């Protein structure tokens, strides 16, 4: 059990129907640089599944004390549904920058489900008509509630998910 800090509780309390307090990041990846020259969605799901124990923040959900007598707190869960949190989308043809940004705006405008860990990741394919982006590339868009991730933790999460080589070992958070 991890009690929310005062600042994290403030981020949570500032969530409104028209103002969501989540933060996000977008990366575009050339899958031809991966081992074998491609990345399958099933492999991405396996990656997230195998590394969730290394990223405990992604296995926590909020619990609100009865009658609001104290700040909410995080509890670790064992039955995380990775396929709920990691989603797979494809842009329609022609797969241009405008379509990607419209899709990202739609995703970002939706609130996170507060009964589950407060993060979602989207693998977006079909980026085939974006200047300077290699055909077959995909995007990873990840959003987390600000109560879960601050700037420093966000940098650690990005570091844990990335490597400069195809041989990848995550950094513990």
């Amino acid at each position: 059990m991890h009690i929310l800090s005062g600042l994290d509780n403030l981020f949570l309390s500032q969530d409104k129907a028209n103002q969501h307090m989540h933060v996000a990041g977008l990366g575009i990846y050339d899958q031809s640089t991966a081992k074998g020259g491609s990345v399958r969605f099933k492999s991405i799901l396996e990656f997230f599944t195998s590394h969730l124990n290394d990223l405990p923040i992604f296995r926590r959900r909020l619990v609100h004390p009865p009658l609001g007598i104290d700040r909410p707190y995080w509890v670790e869960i064992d039955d995380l549904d990775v396929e709920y949190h990691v989603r797979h989308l494809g842009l329609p043809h022609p797969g241009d920058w405008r379509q990607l940004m419209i899709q990202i705006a739609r995703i970002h405008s939706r609130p996170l489900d507060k009964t589950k860990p407060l993060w979602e990741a989207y693998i977006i394919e079909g980026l085939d008509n974006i200047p300077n982006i290699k055909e077959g590339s995909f995007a990873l868009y990840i959003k987390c509630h600000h109560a879960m991730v601050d700037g420093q933790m966000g940098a650690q999460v990005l570091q844990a998910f990335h490597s400069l080589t195809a041989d990848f070992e995550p950094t513990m958070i």
Side-chain angles (χ1 to χ4, degrees):
M1 177 174 90
H2 307 273
I3 296 177
L4 260 66
S5 70
L7 182 59
D8 291 341
N9 192 42
L10 177 65
F11 287 136
L12 192 62
S13 70
Q14 294 301 305
D15 240 353
K16 307 291 181 225
N18 63 347
Q19 176 180 321
H20 309 298
M21 295 301 295
H22 47 252
V23 295
L26 173 68
I28 298 178
Y29 302 90
D30 174 1
Q31 65 177 319
S32 70
T33 64
K35 284 185 179 177
S38 68
V39 179
R40 295 178 37 87
F41 182 67
K42 182 179 178 182
S43 299
I44 294 170
L45 286 175
E46 289 170 357
F47 168 83
F48 272 90
T49 300
S50 68
H51 292 88
L52 283 171
N53 288 331
D54 299 330
L55 302 165
I57 191 76
F58 282 82
R59 298 188 65 85
R60 294 179 184 154
R61 69 172 181 82
L62 279 175
V63 175
H64 293 271
L67 306 172
I69 59 173
D70 201 355
R71 285 184 275 183
Y73 54 93
W74 298 108
V75 293
E76 306 260 341
I77 62 169
D78 295 323
D79 59 345
L80 183 76
D81 181 0
V82 174
E83 290 188 41
Y84 170 82
H85 290 278
V86 182
R87 300 166 185 191
H88 190 196
L89 305 171
L91 294 180
H93 182 75
D96 60 19
W97 187 254
R98 181 178 179 275
Q99 288 174 311
L100 177 61
M101 292 300 101
I102 289 170
Q103 185 63 55
I104 295 299
R106 287 179 180 149
I107 294 168
H108 197 76
S109 69
R110 286 183 245 148
L112 292 161
D113 182 348
K114 290 188 180 131
T115 66
K116 301 182 183 315
L118 297 177
W119 66 276
E120 295 172 355
Y122 294 82
I123 304 304
I124 305 169
E125 293 185 307
L127 316 179
D128 295 332
N129 197 23
I130 300 175
N132 302 316
I133 301 294
K134 188 168 183 173
E135 191 170 323
S137 294
F138 66 93
L140 168 63
Y141 178 74
I142 188 164
K143 72 177 183 178
C144 306
H145 199 283
H146 210 322
M148 177 182 145
V149 176
D150 61 12
Q152 183 178 5
M153 178 60 76
Q156 290 176 347
V157 167
L158 287 175
Q159 181 182 7
F161 280 128
H162 292 86
S163 173
L164 296 176
T165 69
D167 298 318
F168 178 69
E169 288 298 323
T171 304
M172 294 278 294
I173 295 180

